[in-house]
Amino acid sequence: MGSGGSVLSDSLKDASPAQVAETFGTLSAEDKKKVASALANVGEQDAPKEAAPEKKGPTLSEEQRNMLKAAFEEIDKDKSRAIEANELKAVMAKMNVPLSEEQIDGVFKRADVNKDAKLSFEEYESLVLKSHLSCNMLLQDLFSGSCIIRAEAGLNMAVSGADAVLRCAARSKHRWRDGPRANALEGDFVFDDAYAIVQNPDVYSSSPWFQVFWHDFWGFPLLSDKSHKSYRPLTTLTFRLQMSYAGDRADSAAKMMHSLNVFLHSLNSALLVFLFQTFGFRVGESMLGALLFACHPVHIEAVASLVGRAELLAALLSILSLLSHSTPLALVLAGLALLCKETAAVVALPLCSCLQLRKSRLKALLPILWLCLLIPLRLLLHGGMQARPFLHRESNPGAFAEDWLSRILTLHYYLFRHLQLLVWPHPLCCDWSHGSIPLLESPADLRVAAFWVYALPAGLLKVSRIREGSHTGVILSSLLIFLSLLPASNLLFSVGFTVAERVLYLPSLGFCGILGHVLGRGTGATGQRCLRLGVAGVVLALWSYSCLQHSRAWWTAEALYRAGLQANPRNEKLHDLLATRLQNSGGDLQEATWHAEQAIALNPFYWHAHASLGQLKSAAGQRAQAVKHYKRALRLAEQQHLDDVADAPKVRLNLAVMLQDSDAKAAEHHFRRFEEAASQELRQMGLLIFGAFLESRDPKEAAERYEQALRDQGPHHGVAHLRLGSLLRRLANASAASGAAAPAAVQRVATPKATQASPKQRSEGNETEAPGLRVGDSWRAAWGQCWRRAVPWSVPCLPDWDLVEKDGTCKRDIPPTWQVLRRWWRCMWTFANSGEQGSCRLKTTDASGRAEVETETEILSTWPLPATEERALHHLQQGLLTSAPSALDPGGRKRREAMAVVGARLTLARRHGEARALLGAAPQEVLPQLATEQLKVGNAAVALEAFRAAASLQQTASTHLGIAAALEQLGQAGPGRG
């Protein structure tokens, strides 16, 4: 919980004293201290200025203040020296901050001390300081922390600080809401929701919709070794539809998704009244069973967790299939249920067959035959019986037990715990893996006595025989429990969990039906009936109260992990998750460190706990300890074959960045290993950091890394353009200053087709230039690279193939198949002969610089990219069009450099309208500022050009002094500087 006392005061205005006292009593001791501190700040803010004592708060260093000013100017698009609300909203929208416009407006009004609907720099600085977050804590969500910050020695504190304050404001505003329905409707993405929804590309409209039918529930291809083989495309499609309706913003879709889960559970509870009557129960028994189902505490996870929608949809379609068991629609609904959850068809179709036995034995065979057809088709989707799901040893220790007797006893005990939670739903926990349930080593273990529970169905059948005919419903309900628990029992195959409360959603249908029959029977003496109804009332009251209490835990991730540790203190995963959450949210680092150390004490071989502890040590400035735990984490991940999944690539990136100053060789090794294992979005970020590491060692390879980052999918294309353009410009200037001839590619781009030299003349006239693919590249790499170039619509808009207009659109025509094959063949021929030739339409300007003419030119596509001024300007312009404030461009320095270069070129070319659109209403004032910044960081060439452009607009003494200073710095630096 950060600062934001005024937000707390506003949220408390509508809360009664009883609500405040109740909520305050449920807080931990640490949270009480934070709330008390925030309330104290409210009192000081509301007091008159003359009565308020002078209070020292956090301050910024000079370097941080300069970074803050640069970020402030970046957000201030209209250059009015003040930030307006719409400008702040635009920045937050680009950052995907999960807050509504009303919440941002509220924080903006509180920060606006002068009440002029604008934030001055002083007001914005105060807003950032109120977050009380250090630079080392602003990138924890990327699991990169201070390491990535060190890569560029800074951070865009303005945007990150405002983000932290706004998040704090949202938490403070919602903290005082009570009631389980508010939690269920407005909860966040917690636990597995982040992997199945937020980080799943199939949920967003940017990916093709049909991919959901070839990927698993978590977004991995079904045939991949990393896939869990959980095939639930219809569930993923519901997430995708809601996310698309919310504009692909997860924060806007969260409430809508939770609302649908609550609606589905309510609908299932209502339909159970009719299903139980179909089973043979009376109306009163059916209604009581439906009420018990609606209030059962074991359903909290299935309803409050968005991942539990698979259970809700599978149950809904299964109930509808059973209600229509006598029609062909039942088979269709059961097949659709299989697309929501794997176990659904195994439940619905056999029960449909049992219900059909009352009428026709022949028709009873149809559901079984349909099931026998669906199961092989389902297995074929993920590679057949030999394709096993990817399972972690810690997620199901019993399945990986070395002793066969221990394995059998432990797996049966897992099944007993499932049945126990149906009957006695306490304690409840979001995770039962790792060390939550110790292995049963021998039959002497007292827990073996729990296996008497297998006699429970026979006892229920005995009780149900009091009234003739009632046992049919009990048999069907018992069969429902057995069939729905069988896939999760580890008896047929190993699953990825020990005990999971959400998989009890379907079995509870049968259990609640039996319980409703036992407690709601109308037979017997009046006293017996009253006693049974009294017991039913007590059970409903206790279960409802349990739902009220436990649903609060699913409001935030921190509350969920704390509640889990209360029920499960031996679970090292929950300790690790809580440590990571405290670190990411700016919580108590000492408590986070304690939880990480506790996780390691419980399981010294838990690699992720070592990674979390290394992150915390890095944030605390203990570099040696951080490196030690990072290395230990990666070593354990490699031993457990997890070095290319989960968070291991992020840990490797952290270690690489941390070692780049002390051990450059080891850092380079980890950078290259990271490229092999990381996902595309994460790899893009790593490629940019690796490129920055290589710029001073091998600039050409650094340019290759930046271009690879442009090819990968991710949010950092703008930064990649800026970095690549800046590097290519420095290389071009260095080549020109050293007196070297312009690269062949540059000459060809500027040469009309009619006067273009032949390939033979080119090879004879330029023996030093070796265009095209490097001879050292393998044929396999050349094959793939040539194919990507031959099929231009399969890759992003790149200058290799397309010439990009000022608005960022590509002028490309889809070629026919024969042209694609010809391009591929020419590329491969070029690889063998070290030359490549292609044609493209190039838009250039005439001598006046105004009219555009289109000419057919011959271009040479080389690898690595040719270092030309034109290509550098193209990337800088693209970076300005597509980039947003990013931690990978700390302080917006690369963006400021691009603004100086492109703004100067536009001004010198007399394209003043475009210059004003880029720099603001007064380019003559902005250009000297940008030039001075570049001069301070030693980029004299850029500063000189910007000063000259400013002088062309307005002759002042400062611009001429700036030109003199830039020339002096260039003279001292020698050729190639800047």
Side-chain angles (χ1 to χ4, degrees):
M1 196 173 175
S3 64
S6 59
V7 181
L8 273 174
S9 69
D10 283 355
S11 61
L12 288 174
K13 288 178 180 178
D14 299 329
S16 66
Q19 289 175 318
V20 174
E22 179 186 356
T23 307
F24 194 84
T26 61
L27 300 179
S28 63
E30 186 65 23
D31 285 340
K32 288 181 180 179
K33 292 181 181 179
K34 295 178 181 179
V35 173
S37 176
L39 292 175
N41 292 336
V42 173
E44 292 177 3
Q45 292 172 3
D46 293 341
K49 291 185 178 180
E50 57 272 18
E54 186 175 353
K55 182 180 178 181
K56 292 185 178 180
T59 58
L60 297 176
S61 64
E62 187 63 27
E63 181 182 1
Q64 291 172 337
R65 190 176 177 84
N66 291 335
M67 293 165 54
L68 191 64
K69 288 182 179 179
F72 179 83
E73 294 174 358
E74 182 66 29
I75 300 175
D76 182 20
K77 295 296 184 182
D78 58 0
K79 306 303 177 184
S80 61
R81 302 184 184 277
I83 296 178
E84 298 178 357
N86 58 347
E87 294 173 334
L88 186 61
K89 291 177 184 177
V91 172
M92 293 302 158
K94 289 183 179 179
M95 292 181 62
N96 291 327
V97 177
L99 293 177
S100 64
E101 293 188 0
E102 292 76 11
Q103 292 171 328
I104 299 178
D105 285 334
V107 177
F108 186 89
K109 291 178 181 178
R110 297 181 186 96
D112 183 16
V113 180
N114 298 330
K115 305 302 178 184
D116 56 355
K118 294 181 179 180
L119 291 186
S120 63
F121 175 73
E122 290 74 17
E123 292 171 334
Y124 192 73
E125 181 182 13
S126 175
L127 178 66
V128 173
L129 288 176
K130 283 181 180 178
S131 65
H132 293 281
L133 295 178
S134 63
C135 287
N136 287 340
M137 293 303 301
L138 295 177
L139 282 183
Q140 301 297 333
D141 287 336
L142 295 175
F143 206 84
S144 51
S146 59
C147 298
I148 292 180
I149 297 171
R150 284 188 60 259
E152 289 295 336
L155 183 67
N156 189 340
M157 291 183 56
V159 176
S160 300
D163 179 22
V165 171
L166 291 173
R167 290 177 187 271
C168 171
R171 289 198 299 271
S172 301
K173 178 178 179 181
H174 295 298
R175 193 168 185 86
W176 307 105
R177 297 183 182 179
D178 58 347
R181 185 165 297 275
N183 287 340
L185 290 175
E186 302 189 20
D188 202 353
F189 295 99
V190 296
F191 207 47
D192 290 339
D193 297 346
Y195 301 100
I197 301 175
V198 180
Q199 300 176 18
N200 187 353
D202 293 337
V203 175
Y204 297 90
S205 57
S206 57
S207 63
W209 67 271
F210 54 83
Q211 282 188 356
V212 301
F213 294 99
W214 306 109
H215 289 178
D216 66 9
F217 188 52
W218 312 98
F220 291 100
L222 278 171
L223 299 179
S224 170
D225 294 336
K226 302 178 182 179
S227 174
H228 286 224
K229 313 303 180 186
S230 50
Y231 186 66
R232 305 162 193 174
L234 289 187
T235 306
T236 305
L237 279 177
T238 62
F239 293 143
R240 183 186 179 97
L241 289 174
Q242 290 186 295
M243 187 69 75
S244 176
Y245 183 79
D248 280 347
R249 293 194 59 181
D251 58 311
S252 302
K255 182 176 180 179
M256 188 193 317
M257 292 181 178
H258 283 287
S259 301
L260 181 57
N261 272 25
V262 174
F263 171 76
L264 290 174
H265 179 59
S266 304
L267 183 59
N268 289 337
S269 302
L271 290 174
L272 278 183
V273 177
F274 305 100
L275 179 63
F276 290 152
Q277 293 182 60
T278 303
F279 281 3
F281 296 129
R282 292 179 174 179
V283 177
E285 298 169 355
S286 301
M287 294 183 66
L288 180 58
L291 281 175
L292 291 168
F293 178 83
C295 299
H296 203 304
V298 82
H299 298 156
I300 293 175
E301 180 177 354
V303 179
S305 171
L306 294 176
V307 173
R309 182 176 299 179
E311 317 290 338
L312 303 175
L313 288 174
L316 174 63
L317 292 172
S318 298
I319 294 172
L320 293 175
S321 176
L322 293 172
L323 290 176
S324 59
H325 62 274
S326 59
T327 65
L329 181 61
L331 304 181
V332 177
L333 292 173
L336 293 177
L338 180 63
L339 299 180
C340 296
K341 184 68 185 291
E342 299 83 355
T343 59
V346 183
V347 176
L349 291 173
L351 287 176
C352 285
S353 181
C354 293
L355 292 172
Q356 287 279 34
L357 282 174
R358 302 175 180 178
K359 300 178 181 179
S360 171
R361 293 185 178 181
L362 182 62
K363 290 184 178 180
L365 290 176
L366 291 178
I368 302 299
L369 294 176
W370 180 236
L371 179 62
C372 293
L373 177 63
L374 290 177
I375 291 179
L377 291 176
R378 170 66 182 83
L379 292 176
L380 286 176
L381 283 173
H382 63 73
M385 290 291 294
Q386 70 277 5
R388 297 293 182 181
F390 179 81
L391 301 178
H392 292 234
R393 183 184 185 90
E394 292 83 1
S395 62
N396 190 350
F400 290 89
E402 297 179 0
D403 182 62
W404 66 271
L405 180 60
S406 175
R407 183 165 59 252
I408 292 176
L409 292 176
T410 303
L411 293 181
H412 278 275
Y413 185 73
Y414 291 163
L415 180 58
F416 160 74
R417 291 299 297 268
H418 279 108
L419 294 173
Q420 176 192 350
L421 288 174
L422 276 179
V423 180
W424 184 259
H426 181 81
L428 296 176
C429 182
C430 60
D431 185 83
W432 290 93
S433 61
H434 293 256
S436 303
I437 304 177
L439 298 177
L440 278 72
E441 302 290 348
S442 69
D445 196 311
L446 294 179
R447 291 175 292 174
V448 175
F451 293 163
W452 66 267
V453 76
Y454 291 134
L456 182 62
L460 291 175
L461 286 176
K462 183 66 175 176
V463 172
S464 68
R465 291 182 182 273
I466 296 176
R467 182 169 61 86
E468 184 179 357
S470 297
H471 67 280
T472 304
V474 177
I475 290 176
L476 291 175
S477 299
S478 301
L479 185 60
L480 193 157
I481 297 174
F482 171 76
L483 291 175
S484 55
L485 272 181
L486 186 62
S489 64
N490 287 283
L491 300 180
L492 300 179
F493 47 82
S494 298
V495 295
F497 55 86
T498 56
V499 176
E501 294 163 12
R502 63 173 175 263
V503 303
L504 294 175
Y505 193 83
L506 274 173
S508 66
L509 295 175
F511 173 74
C512 291
I514 295 175
L515 189 59
H517 164 66
V518 173
L519 297 179
R521 283 203 312 265
T523 59
T526 304
Q528 293 179 351
R529 292 198 301 268
C530 293
L531 178 61
R532 287 196 295 267
L533 291 177
V535 172
V538 171
V539 171
L540 286 173
L542 290 176
W543 282 4
S544 300
Y545 178 76
S546 180
C547 287
L548 288 173
Q549 294 299 315
H550 287 94
S551 61
R552 299 177 188 270
W554 288 87
W555 176 237
T556 63
E558 182 178 342
L560 180 64
Y561 302 149
R562 291 189 185 278
L565 285 174
Q566 289 179 1
N568 225 340
R570 293 184 54 84
N571 190 318
E572 62 268 26
K573 179 181 178 180
L574 290 177
H575 281 287
D576 176 57
L577 289 173
L578 182 55
T580 304
R581 183 61 186 174
L582 289 172
Q583 185 184 18
N584 293 348
S585 59
D588 189 349
L589 291 185
Q590 291 184 352
E591 183 186 0
T593 303
W594 182 87
H595 281 289
E597 292 173 346
Q598 188 70 13
I600 295 175
L602 290 170
N603 185 0
F605 301 102
Y606 186 30
W607 74 271
H608 201 282
H610 285 280
S612 300
L613 187 56
Q615 186 74 10
L616 287 163
K617 295 295 184 183
S618 173
Q622 302 177 18
R623 294 173 49 82
Q625 291 293 321
V627 170
K628 172 186 173 182
H629 285 287
Y630 281 149
K631 290 182 177 179
R632 175 66 172 163
L634 290 175
R635 187 158 52 248
L636 290 172
E638 289 175 357
Q639 293 173 0
Q640 300 168 18
H641 306 288
L642 299 174
D643 54 321
D644 59 343
V645 298
D647 291 328
K650 303 178 185 179
V651 179
R652 193 175 295 280
L653 176 61
N654 263 357
L655 181 59
V657 178
M658 186 164 285
L659 291 174
Q660 62 182 348
D661 294 333
S662 58
D663 192 348
K665 186 176 180 180
E668 184 175 354
H669 165 75
H670 287 294
F671 272 127
R672 297 190 187 280
R673 287 286 304 275
F674 167 81
E675 290 184 56
E676 300 171 1
S679 61
Q680 278 202 6
E681 182 174 345
L682 182 63
R683 183 175 59 191
Q684 185 186 54
M685 180 178 66
L687 287 170
L688 293 175
I689 301 173
F690 189 23
F693 170 77
L694 290 172
E695 280 194 20
S696 59
R697 294 168 174 81
D698 189 349
K700 292 185 178 180
E701 186 177 359
E704 293 181 22
R705 292 297 179 270
Y706 291 147
E707 200 216 19
Q708 290 178 18
L710 287 174
R711 293 183 183 274
D712 286 342
Q713 295 180 0
H716 306 296
H717 283 100
V719 180
H721 277 297
L722 293 176
R723 287 194 171 277
L724 181 57
S726 176
L727 178 58
L728 292 178
R729 190 175 187 278
R730 290 201 302 272
L731 292 175
N733 290 346
S735 176
S738 62
V746 183
Q747 298 172 6
R748 291 186 194 97
V749 169
T751 307
K753 184 174 182 179
T755 61
Q756 184 70 22
S758 65
K760 182 177 180 181
Q761 292 173 340
R762 288 201 300 269
S763 61
E764 294 175 353
N766 189 6
E767 297 179 358
T768 59
E769 178 71 11
L773 295 165
R774 293 178 295 176
V775 179
D777 287 347
S778 66
W779 281 95
R780 181 179 179 181
W783 181 291
Q785 188 179 134
C786 289
W787 181 252
R788 286 193 298 270
R789 295 185 181 187
V791 190
W793 58 86
S794 64
V795 297
C797 182
L798 295 175
D800 281 17
W801 229 200
D802 307 295
L803 295 176
V804 183
E805 298 296 310
K806 298 171 188 176
D807 60 355
T809 59
C810 290
K811 293 191 63 177
R812 59 166 63 145
D813 297 324
I814 305 301
T817 305
W818 67 269
Q819 286 190 8
V820 172
L821 295 176
R822 188 183 70 170
R823 288 177 177 177
W824 175 83
W825 173 253
R826 291 175 65 184
C827 179
M828 293 299 296
W829 181 263
T830 299
F831 173 69
N833 296 275
S834 298
E836 180 182 357
Q837 186 178 0
S839 63
C840 183
R841 301 182 68 84
L842 173 65
K843 270 198 173 183
T844 58
T845 56
D846 58 9
S848 65
R850 298 176 182 176
E852 290 185 343
V853 294
E854 195 172 65
T855 58
E856 187 81 13
T857 62
E858 290 284 340
I859 64 169
L860 182 69
S861 181
T862 64
W863 187 267
L865 295 177
T868 67
E869 186 76 10
E870 289 78 8
R871 192 178 294 275
L873 286 173
H874 158 76
H875 284 290
L876 292 175
Q877 186 177 11
Q878 284 301 107
L880 291 174
L881 288 172
T882 59
S883 68
S886 171
L888 296 177
D889 183 22
R893 289 183 294 183
K894 292 297 180 183
R895 184 175 179 83
R896 304 281 291 178
E897 178 187 345
M899 290 178 63
V901 173
V902 178
R905 287 300 181 91
L906 292 174
T907 302
L908 293 174
R910 298 181 181 179
R911 295 159 70 172
H912 300 302
E914 297 174 62
R916 283 192 295 271
L918 175 65
L919 302 175
Q924 67 276 10
E925 298 179 3
V926 178
L927 281 172
Q929 297 176 5
L930 296 173
T932 303
E933 293 175 4
Q934 299 305 313
L935 195 60
K936 288 181 179 179
V937 299
N939 202 348
V942 176
L944 177 61
E945 194 166 3
F947 276 128
R948 285 175 173 171
S952 69
L953 295 174
Q954 184 177 1
Q955 298 281 344
T956 62
S958 60
T959 55
H960 289 289
L961 289 174
I963 293 174
L967 289 172
E968 181 181 2
Q969 193 175 108
L970 283 172
Q972 293 176 356
R977 178 69 174 177

